[in-house]
Amino acid sequence: MRRYFFCVNAILLLLVLTVSSCTYEDYEIKQGRGIVCSNGMVVSAHPEASGIGTGILIEGGNAFDAAAATAFALAVSYPTAGNIGGGGLMVIRDSDGRYATLDCREKAPDSAMNDMYLDEEDNIIKGMSTSTLAASGVPGSVAGILEMHSEYGSLPLKKIIQPSIDLAREGFPVTSRQAKSLNSVRKRFINRNDHPVPFVKDNLWAEGDTLIQADLARTLERIRDNGTEGFYSGSTADMIVKEMKKGNGLINHNDLENYSAVWREPVTGMYSGYKIISIPPPSSGGVAVMQLLGIMEDMLNEQPVFHSSEDVHLMIEAERRIYADRSFYLGDPDFVEIPVNELVNKDYLIDRMSDFDTLKTSSSANISHGLIVAPESEETTHFSVIDKDHNAIAFTTTLNSSYGNCIVVEGAGFLLNNEMDDFSSKPGYPNIYGLIGGEANSVQPGKRMLSSMTPAIVEKDNNLYMVLGSPGGSTIITSVFQTLLNVLEYQMNMQQAVDAPRFHHQWMPDLVYFEKLEADSVLIRKLENMGHNIQWRSSIGRVDAIRIIKGGKMEAGADSRGDDMACGY
Ligand code: DON
């Protein structure tokens, strides 16, 4: 085992390489935003994770080995969303052009009940679905990462996971953003845990302080040595169940033993000659982006102008209608019938926009879901990887809120998700993202909660063209949609497309969110004159993407809203 250090943007990056046929010195490793590489690239929310993933590529691993390594590295280096206690969704495209999606979304435990978050008067019990042990769904990430790796990976798991074990045990310097973020939830960690957790130290965190996670290192070792059993049974499972019993947690040994990731048929569609491949339910993301693009294909100006009031008004009105559909129709396809083909059908979409007024906003109160006759039977993280053969993977993974429910499994050192809040606790009542759900997304034992995660891959002329995705709760869909248009319509390069200002409408509440610093005031005035109700937000989404450019090279888009970083060679 040899170690190399290199420094970019004043961040010391630790890259652990087991040198076999090649050495680090053989390659020019690049790190930064907007970089261009020829042989492989990882773009993720943390420089440590992008570095570890790239190290695996250099060692001869393919994109899927690198993705598994990056996912484990994010669980260590980016505890706000990287995880082994949460779940995720992946879109995969191999170098032969075959694609697949893997669902490792959390599931409701078997003893979950429809009204579990309601009191005797049927009122929502505040915080129960977000801040308690009952907020956690059965984690899916470990099953998903290992399933993806066993199907598509080429290097042994041991090699893939070891850099993350070392990173957890030896620690890494937190970034300035991470220090602030950890300090902001210090009280939650103290109040919700009856044992010491690595995220709280005697003093407040400062940039450069070392975060060491010894218990997590041991959990990762059990996964290294025993595969999924190292997490879903044995001592890790015992620790999870013991943690649940400290409060109102529901996850038991059976829930853990019975969890499995599910391969699902991708949602695909064409937009102006590009093929979009994305995630099907239980995420709404793929369907919604396909609906939005379907509307744009028919209705966007022949010569679109980025953030012109005409284009933005059209996009807002499309988002309003598509989020209304999301709220009514979408849920776990293993439990409810979802008319996916009808929802993305062009005639349906044209009909959906039939009351669109180019000069005036419509009111969400008057917009409901579309009518389909006889239906056929805000913290997450996304990363994108492409290798030298153009194998590609888009992987979005989440604990739901920042640090999930802020409860660390004692002895196992990882955070639990609060994904149960993505269910509709009570029809018509909003979740933490203001999303209103219906019966299709009610809590049921063993059901997967509806997601907005939208990992996506784009093909041009049957070749790989783009890999992208974003965190951001309900804003994920609009972030991916607008990044796609930025490249496909507004001629931006990948970094520009990712950094460009964004806006968001989700039907209810009837507001258009704009990023505070970036909104153009002429545009805002015009939109307000049309009747749009504008609200400011510090940021929307955090897209990490890669695009293939001339000569098959890879161009990075690492979102400058965060510490996101591309690494490649
Ligand atoms: O699956 C979902 O849609 C949400 N749990 C995602 C949460 C999220 O993106 C939070 N990030 N900022």
Side-chain angles (χ1 to χ4, degrees):
M1 187 78 63
R2 283 170 59 189
R3 288 197 166 160
Y4 302 93
F5 293 84
F6 58 101
C7 190
V8 177
N9 289 349
I11 296 166
L12 195 62
L13 180 90
L14 174 65
L15 179 64
V16 183
L17 292 177
T18 310
V19 180
S20 47
S21 56
C22 64
T23 66
Y24 159 68
E25 288 86 355
D26 290 340
Y27 297 103
E28 185 201 354
I29 298 183
K30 293 186 185 168
Q31 203 195 1
R33 299 199 170 102
I35 57 170
V36 173
C37 299
S38 301
N39 295 304
M41 186 183 275
V42 180
V43 188
S44 84
H46 201 283
E48 298 281 358
S50 300
I52 283 176
T54 304
I56 292 294
L57 289 175
I58 292 171
E59 285 181 70
N62 63 20
F64 311 112
D65 296 312
T70 305
F72 285 122
L74 283 166
V76 178
S77 63
Y78 193 65
T80 179
N83 67 83
I84 55 172
L89 300 168
M90 304 172 209
V91 180
I92 287 163
R93 184 185 184 279
D94 71 15
S95 53
D96 294 326
R98 285 179 300 228
Y99 45 80
T101 72
L102 186 60
D103 161 1
C104 56
R105 182 74 166 157
E106 300 91 327
K107 285 172 77 163
D110 274 345
S111 54
M113 284 183 305
N114 192 289
D115 58 355
M116 63 185 278
Y117 300 112
L118 304 182
D119 65 16
E120 279 159 11
E121 269 100 51
D122 269 1
N123 295 316
I124 291 182
I125 304 168
K126 209 165 166 252
M128 187 175 167
S129 66
T130 54
S131 315
T132 71
L133 286 160
S136 298
V138 185
S141 292
V142 173
I145 298 167
L146 298 197
E147 172 68 18
M148 178 272 292
H149 178 255
S150 76
E151 280 292 315
Y152 287 90
S154 63
L155 297 179
L157 175 64
K158 196 171 161 14
K159 202 160 184 169
I160 302 293
I161 201 169
Q162 193 60 43
S164 297
I165 296 170
D166 297 341
L167 192 69
R169 179 156 292 127
E170 287 160 30
F172 65 93
V174 299
T175 67
S176 153
R177 259 198 198 84
Q178 284 187 301
K180 278 193 205 115
S181 161
L182 285 166
N183 292 337
S184 74
V185 288
R186 178 184 172 86
K187 278 209 182 109
R188 283 189 206 165
F189 282 131
I190 293 171
N191 293 341
R192 294 184 197 169
N193 291 281
D194 63 357
H195 52 96
V197 299
F199 309 114
V200 176
K201 55 190 190 70
D202 292 344
N203 321 328
L204 291 181
W205 290 93
E207 179 180 0
D209 286 352
T210 306
L211 174 57
I212 293 175
Q213 300 168 84
D215 287 342
L216 178 58
R218 281 186 284 273
T219 300
L220 292 173
E221 280 172 343
R222 288 191 292 278
I223 296 170
R224 176 195 65 193
D225 298 339
N226 306 300
T228 49
E229 289 182 5
F231 185 85
Y232 292 96
S233 47
S235 54
T236 312
D238 290 345
M239 289 177 207
I240 297 173
V241 173
K242 193 169 164 212
E243 192 67 40
M244 290 289 136
K245 288 187 175 153
K246 290 182 185 172
N248 57 0
L250 297 181
I251 301 171
N252 62 27
H253 281 286
N254 271 346
D255 292 316
L256 293 166
E257 294 276 354
N258 293 337
Y259 185 87
S260 58
V262 182
W263 292 100
R264 297 193 191 273
E265 199 56 39
V267 174
T268 60
M270 294 301 292
Y271 178 79
S272 295
Y274 295 88
K275 182 169 189 167
I276 320 289
I277 303 154
S278 191
I279 200 82
S283 180
S284 54
V287 173
V289 163
M290 239 51 94
Q291 290 184 288
L292 290 165
L293 290 175
I295 293 170
M296 293 305 123
E297 193 164 52
D298 276 337
M299 297 184 70
L300 199 64
N301 276 332
E302 291 267 305
Q303 267 151 1
V305 178
F306 179 72
H307 277 204
S308 64
S309 57
E310 290 80 5
D311 290 9
V312 171
H313 175 59
L314 172 68
M315 288 158 78
I316 291 170
E317 291 300 326
E319 288 176 9
R320 184 196 304 283
R321 287 159 178 80
I322 281 355
Y323 274 85
D325 281 0
R326 175 197 191 277
S327 155
F328 185 76
Y329 285 112
L330 297 191
D332 182 346
D334 296 341
F335 285 73
V336 285
E337 276 182 25
I338 303 171
V340 172
N341 293 336
E342 286 77 1
L343 286 167
V344 299
N345 177 282
K346 267 291 169 67
D347 293 337
Y348 170 77
L349 294 172
I350 291 168
D351 193 51
R352 209 68 192 90
M353 294 300 283
S354 58
D355 56 352
F356 170 67
D357 183 332
T358 53
L359 300 175
K360 237 175 63 208
T361 178
S362 29
S363 154
S364 289
N366 301 329
I367 300 270
S368 168
H369 56 87
L371 275 186
I372 286 176
V373 189
E376 255 178 25
S377 328
E378 250 164 77
E379 188 75 34
T380 297
T381 190
H382 173 85
F383 64 93
S384 299
V385 185
I386 301 181
D387 67 20
K388 63 178 178 3
D389 299 320
H390 288 187
N391 291 299
I393 173 165
F395 188 171
T396 314
T397 178
T398 185
L399 290 166
N400 195 26
S401 302
S402 285
Y403 310 99
N405 60 5
C406 289
I407 299 173
V408 177
V409 175
E410 185 170 7
F414 63 87
L415 283 156
L416 288 164
N417 68 81
N418 60 353
E419 217 76 55
M420 293 293 281
D421 189 67
D422 273 349
F423 279 119
S424 169
S425 295
K426 181 174 172 176
Y429 283 77
N431 71 358
I432 44 170
Y433 302 107
L435 289 169
I436 293 174
E439 205 41 54
N441 189 33
S442 62
V443 186
Q444 285 181 55
K447 189 177 178 183
R448 284 159 151 91
M449 54 296 279
L450 181 61
S451 174
S452 301
M453 292 189 282
T454 316
I457 291 182
V458 182
E459 282 179 1
K460 183 183 179 184
D461 303 328
N462 296 323
N463 294 316
L464 179 68
Y465 182 61
M466 206 193 302
V467 184
L468 77 166
S470 178
S474 55
T475 69
I476 293 173
I477 294 167
T478 44
S479 300
V480 170
F481 164 54
Q482 291 170 27
T483 305
L484 282 169
L485 283 193
N486 289 347
V487 174
L488 306 185
E489 292 290 356
Y490 300 117
Q491 317 306 330
M492 295 185 196
N493 68 30
M494 199 69 260
Q495 190 62 45
Q496 290 166 334
V498 156
D499 284 343
R502 296 193 267 266
F503 57 90
H504 172 71
H505 195 296
Q506 61 179 47
W507 176 53
M508 296 282 187
D510 193 348
L511 299 168
V512 192
Y513 297 99
F514 266 86
E515 289 182 311
K516 203 166 187 170
L517 298 172
E518 298 163 306
D520 166 70
S521 59
V522 178
L523 167 66
I524 296 300
R525 229 177 303 124
K526 283 189 181 172
L527 291 173
E528 281 178 336
N529 286 341
M530 289 175 173
H532 290 291
N533 194 355
I534 311 285
Q535 281 235 334
W536 305 104
R537 234 165 140 139
S538 53
S539 76
I540 294 176
R542 206 178 275 187
V543 177
D544 283 340
I546 309 176
R547 180 171 73 138
I548 300 293
I549 54 171
K550 236 175 153 188
K553 290 188 174 178
M554 298 149 207
E555 177 196 52
D559 205 317
S560 54
R561 291 164 181 82
D563 292 324
D564 304 49
M565 195 63 75
C567 193
Y569 71 110

